Amino acid sequence: MTAVRTDTGDRARQTVEAVYRIESARIIAALARIVRDVGVAEELAQDALVAALEQWPESGVPDNPGAWLMAAARHRAIDLVRRRETYARKLAEMGRSLQDTPPPAEPGTGDDIGDDILRLIFTACHPVLSTEARIALTLRMVGGLKTDEIARAFLVGEPTVAQRIVRAKRALAKAAVPFEVPEGPERAARLASVLEVIYLIFNEGYSATAGDDWLRPALCEDALRLGRVLAGLMPKEPEVHGLVALMEIQASRVPARTGPSGEPVLLKDQNRRRWDQLLVRRGFVALGRAEEASPGTPGPYAVQAAIAACHARAHTYEETDWRRIALLYGMLAALMPTPVVRLNRAVAVSMAEGPEEGLALVEALAGERSLRDYHLLPSVRGDLLYRLGRREEARAEFERAASLTRNERERALLLGRARECG
């Protein structure tokens, strides 16, 4: 009997955690509209989670667990607002009693919930926070990840992530950041921050900056989910669709990016039959939506998605339309004249016009301070020197790149390329 009861309790707890991960963004967003503070909203949602963990193993999982969590959290939010001294004082100033006053607006459904989630995304990605804080808060509140999951994904200590989240909530409260989706120029600026955070999450999963693993697919999936939600909430924003298109197409390569032992497989060596064609098709559809929403000059994410689409359309590496890719990188460099974009353009030019042309562009970047410790600069230079037959110089560049990367898989790959130079 005890064993059966324990099994039932374990299943209930697993259900609670699964439902909360799915519903947490919706619940926190709805509560934030009531209490006007995302930090307090998350605490109230966590209280509802604790209540479910206490009650469901005994009473059983309700027919609609998401609605149960929402109702429990909502009641706590309304009670909190009623208890607040500021609320009571405002009522007293108006000459009305608390009993005669209707409760605060409750979370709605349909479009209201969509609007609330959009507000939550814009709040969690507010530029008043550091990039690290925005990432942690977005994964926690919108992505539904626990603190330890975020810490494992980014290879930092759990206390570090917890501090980032706490400080982020305090910073939002101190700055009195409104729980809203801004309009006009501010909306464009804030949207850029939101897209940046989502893409940073995706990139960390696609090419881990440190640790023993080349890929962290779960982070790619989290970023894709966030992007798809945002595209559904902002269907007229071309760059939202551009980012989704870019992530869909890039994610399609994940099955082919590592070998049997987890070692990196470069693009030219990948088995393209392993690319996920469903994700490729989804990416093409999203790219079409981006182009329809902005028939003029495409934005940076749409251009990057167009570059990814060129790779996806090529059945083999040799069939890649490098001239078009080089042209697109030229467009991207005009939109984002960063050293990293210029380095990527140099690679495309080397494939379209020859390694000499690419090397000249790379050499022009040698003095860029931001690339001084960027391992891909010597990696690209090493590859171009190798293609030109300058093996000794290439080996030195690969060895320098290996010394700069913090990812063990990538270091092994670069040292292997250095050995190939003889």
Side-chain angles (χ1 to χ4, degrees):
M1 179 67 73
T2 303
V4 172
R5 195 169 196 175
T6 301
D7 290 343
T8 301
D10 289 341
R11 286 196 297 272
R13 281 189 290 273
Q14 291 171 1
T15 301
V16 171
E17 292 175 358
V19 170
Y20 185 79
R21 179 156 184 167
I22 295 169
E23 299 287 342
S24 59
R26 192 169 69 93
I27 295 171
I28 294 170
L31 298 183
R33 181 151 59 89
I34 298 175
V35 300
R36 315 305 296 180
D37 185 313
V38 293
V40 173
E42 195 208 6
E43 291 172 6
L44 293 170
Q46 290 282 338
D47 288 344
L49 172 65
V50 171
L53 288 169
E54 291 173 347
Q55 297 178 34
W56 292 8
E58 294 294 330
S59 62
V61 178
D63 293 336
N64 191 333
W68 190 101
L69 284 171
M70 178 68 86
R74 180 193 63 202
H75 291 319
R76 284 166 170 76
I78 293 173
D79 288 344
L80 175 64
V81 173
R82 281 176 167 160
R83 290 197 306 268
R84 283 179 173 172
E85 291 182 0
T86 53
Y87 185 67
R89 185 168 60 251
K90 287 179 180 179
L91 293 177
E93 291 170 355
M94 294 167 60
R96 302 164 67 187
S97 68
L98 183 62
Q99 289 76 19
D100 295 335
T101 303
E106 297 186 4
T109 58
D111 292 339
D112 289 338
I113 290 297
D115 290 344
D116 286 341
I117 293 176
L118 193 58
R119 293 186 189 102
L120 180 61
I121 293 173
F122 271 80
T123 303
C125 297
H126 196 284
V128 74
L129 306 177
S130 69
T131 299
E132 293 81 7
R134 277 181 266 164
I135 290 172
L137 197 62
T138 301
L139 286 174
R140 174 68 172 267
M141 290 191 171
V142 186
L145 273 67
K146 293 182 289 187
T147 303
D148 61 330
E149 292 175 314
I150 302 171
R152 283 198 303 271
F154 286 89
L155 299 181
V156 295
E158 191 172 339
T160 299
V161 173
Q163 288 175 359
R164 286 176 184 172
I165 292 172
V166 169
R167 289 171 182 166
K169 294 175 186 176
R170 289 175 181 166
L172 292 174
K174 183 177 180 180
V177 173
F179 185 65
E180 65 181 12
V181 178
E183 296 296 334
E186 185 184 354
R187 176 172 178 151
R190 290 272 293 279
L191 179 59
S193 174
V194 171
L195 298 179
E196 177 192 24
V197 168
I198 294 174
Y199 195 39
L200 283 171
I201 294 169
F202 180 86
N203 274 337
E204 184 59 32
Y206 192 73
S207 295
T209 56
D212 297 328
D213 296 318
W214 175 242
L215 297 173
R216 298 195 182 100
L219 276 181
C220 292
E221 293 168 6
D222 286 323
L224 264 172
R225 182 160 57 88
L226 291 172
R228 290 166 183 163
V229 168
L230 192 61
L233 296 172
M234 306 183 75
K236 295 182 180 180
E237 291 288 348
E239 277 291 79
V240 175
H241 294 298
L243 175 58
V244 172
L246 174 59
M247 294 192 298
E248 298 276 15
I249 297 172
Q250 296 282 68
S252 73
R253 304 179 200 163
V254 166
R257 293 193 76 234
T258 54
S261 302
E263 69 278 11
V265 178
L266 298 177
L267 180 62
K268 66 183 179 65
D269 299 320
Q270 288 175 16
N271 179 356
R272 300 191 174 209
R273 288 176 294 182
R274 297 189 63 198
W275 289 5
D276 189 326
Q277 293 304 309
L278 174 60
L279 291 180
V280 171
R281 290 193 295 272
R282 291 180 66 120
F284 287 166
V285 169
L287 182 56
R289 289 173 180 158
E291 292 169 349
E292 290 173 6
S294 179
T297 303
Y301 289 111
V303 174
Q304 292 176 80
I307 292 170
C310 285
H311 290 293
R313 292 189 180 101
H315 296 295
T316 65
Y317 186 75
E318 291 71 24
E319 294 177 20
T320 306
D321 188 349
W322 287 107
R323 291 194 178 279
R324 174 162 175 74
I325 290 176
L327 177 65
L328 288 167
Y329 267 118
M331 294 172 57
L332 185 61
L335 295 167
M336 298 173 57
T338 67
V340 172
V341 171
R342 290 160 59 197
L343 180 62
N344 287 331
R345 178 174 175 266
V347 174
V349 168
S350 78
M351 298 302 298
E353 302 178 18
E356 298 93 343
E357 298 295 329
L359 185 60
L361 295 174
V362 170
E363 299 291 14
L365 295 169
E368 291 286 348
R369 181 175 299 180
S370 61
L371 297 182
R372 183 176 299 167
D373 297 319
Y374 186 52
H375 69 283
L376 289 182
L377 177 60
S379 175
V380 168
R381 190 169 187 273
D383 183 68
L384 295 175
L385 291 168
Y386 183 88
R387 288 165 57 191
L388 288 169
R390 297 160 60 177
R391 301 298 177 89
E392 286 298 320
E393 294 173 85
R395 180 174 62 185
E397 292 297 315
F398 286 133
E399 289 174 348
R400 171 167 167 71
S403 72
L404 292 175
T405 184
R406 293 187 293 134
N407 185 280
E408 294 301 324
R409 296 287 188 178
E410 192 168 26
R411 180 177 290 113
L413 171 69
L414 290 166
L415 291 176
R417 294 218 63 190
R419 287 191 295 272
E420 291 173 8
C421 296

